Amino acid sequence: MAAEWIETLDAHGPLLLAAARAITRDEAEAEDLVQTAFERALRSAPAIRDPASIRAWLLKVETREAFRTVRRLRRVVRFDSRVHEVPVAGPEASQWAELDEALGKLSRPIRAAVVLHHMVGLSVRETAEALGVTENTAKARIRDGLARLRELLDED
Amino acid sequence: MKTDKRGGDAASNLEARLAGRFAGELEQAERDYADSAPARRLREEAGPGRSPSLWSRVALPAVGLTAIAAVALVGLGIALGPMTTGPAGSGEPSSGTSVAGTQTAAASVQPSASTSIGPVESANVPASIGGQTVYRVGNLPAMKLGSTFLLGGVLARDTSCVPPSPYTVLAPPSCGYWTVGGVKLGTVAGVLNDSLLGRPIVVQVMMSRVIVDCFAPCPPSTFLYATRVVWQDGVAVP
């Protein structure tokens, strides 16, 4: 495996981890998704010709795997979800608590659209590609997500 | 910054908050990434004589398999295997096995008669054991999924609510079932019991999660639980 390719992937690691955390809101699942994205990238290295597109490509792999994982788990387990969060200490925790809580109330497809477009900074086209939906659907999810967040955050 | 033609200033404000939030998330990820499993995997890949094939076999089914394992642990009340902790003497919470993650276990804490025990301080528990800080309710460390640390205090029952049957083995903190120095904990089977009630103890605590399968909005799924008693009656528990 070319060292440069691995270095390229490594350089994208924090971004992938941050995006996966924002989408899944779960540390272990986030790391699993980053690993999966890397695994696919390692296997697909020769097929990726355009280095500039690697970020969107990795995010696409990661996001699609996030939804595959949810579908797979739904087939495997049904579980009582009555568990409650232990506040994670840290300076950022309180600053972003309200926004995090609101993001947590979005459905995963809507949250993923908002995260990819408004947080990670992908274009609508790239967001649609990552989610595996049409651009119109991606736009609608982004719009609905923002509207729901405004409602939850009491922003007029 | 993306624009939302419907929202005007409100949209801009919200977008700014989202962007700011992600900047914080990214900053945190920059700090955490180097020690994450994916980064370790890449480093292995970069080294000589390593093959990605094994990782391929392990990583892809990991979520599903660990989900089943986590559910089995909760449903059957099977105690977890060897507990994990950071390097002796670090004094810091450590990352280790996650019930539902894919990280592997680090060295186990195995106190013995020769384990160094710091002076007994507040709550009648030692300040450190084996070089590791014993935290109290007032100075809990920053935690992340899979991290472990030592917690000291008097063991009591959490009577604020009824544990949600049949998940009392890993009861969530809001119905903690047990408290150590006032910190609500779940526990694995048999680690905490009535014979220890009212006594100062030190337990190893892990932040973990329950695999939650639900349609959004899903509640958070992380919680603390005691994985073993490491000190009681003035001596380290082997």
Side-chain angles (χ1 to χ4, degrees), chain B residues 3-132:
Chain B
T3 57
D4 181 346
K5 296 178 178 59
R6 297 187 321 140
D9 290 343
S12 297
N13 180 45
L14 178 56
E15 289 167 16
R17 289 177 72 179
L18 288 168
R21 177 68 189 96
F22 193 69
E25 190 80 72
L26 194 53
E27 194 177 320
Q28 183 65 47
E30 296 273 3
R31 287 195 291 269
D32 299 341
Y33 171 73
D35 292 328
S36 69
R40 290 197 300 272
R41 164 62 190 132
L42 274 189
R43 285 197 293 271
E44 287 176 11
E45 185 65 27
R50 301 281 187 166
S51 165
S53 56
L54 174 62
W55 183 63
S56 309
R57 291 195 299 273
V58 172
L60 294 178
V63 171
L65 291 175
T66 50
I68 295 169
V71 170
L73 283 170
V74 172
L76 302 177
I78 299 170
L80 294 177
M83 302 313 161
T84 62
T85 186
S90 66
E92 296 294 329
S94 64
S95 295
T97 300
S98 163
V99 167
T102 58
Q103 291 175 291
T104 55
S108 297
V109 169
Q110 295 296 340
S112 66
S114 61
T115 301
S116 65
I117 298 176
V120 172
E121 294 184 341
S122 62
N124 288 322
V125 294
S128 64
I129 294 178
Q132 293 187 71

Side-chain angles (χ1 to χ4, degrees), chain A:
Chain A
M1 184 63 59
E4 308 85 65
W5 179 238
I6 291 176
E7 280 177 23
T8 300
L9 296 179
D10 201 36
H12 285 84
L15 176 70
L16 290 176
L17 183 59
R21 283 172 170 174
I23 292 170
T24 66
R25 304 168 61 76
D26 183 295
E27 182 64 27
E29 187 182 356
E31 288 201 12
D32 287 340
L33 294 179
V34 177
Q35 288 221 50
T36 300
F38 281 169
E39 163 70 10
R40 299 264 170 84
L42 290 167
R43 284 201 300 246
S44 309
I48 300 173
R49 302 289 182 195
D50 178 14
S53 66
I54 184 63
R55 183 182 73 142
W57 185 86
L58 286 168
L59 286 165
K60 179 177 80 174
V61 171
E62 180 176 87
T63 305
R64 291 193 175 184
E65 181 62 21
F67 288 98
R68 261 194 292 274
T69 300
V70 169
R71 284 195 292 270
R72 190 162 59 227
L73 288 179
R74 281 177 184 156
R75 286 197 298 271
V76 173
V77 293
R78 291 284 163 191
F79 202 72
D80 186 339
S81 60
R82 286 182 301 163
V83 287
H84 297 267
E85 186 169 29
V86 177
V88 178
E92 302 88 359
S94 57
Q95 185 183 355
W96 301 112
E98 188 186 19
L99 182 58
D100 283 348
E101 188 181 344
L103 282 166
K105 288 178 179 171
L106 301 181
S107 68
R108 186 178 280 217
I110 298 286
R111 184 167 65 242
V114 171
V115 166
L116 292 173
H117 184 59
H118 283 291
M119 297 175 79
V120 177
L122 294 188
S123 67
V124 171
R125 184 184 60 75
E126 289 171 327
T127 300
E129 177 80 0
L131 295 172
V133 299
T134 66
E135 286 191 35
N136 282 340
T137 300
K139 280 180 191 170
R141 289 184 185 177
I142 294 164
R143 185 185 62 235
D144 292 349
L146 283 188
R148 178 74 176 133
L149 285 175
R150 274 190 222 107
E151 189 182 304
L152 291 166
L153 296 168
D154 230 7
E155 286 192 2
D156 296 320

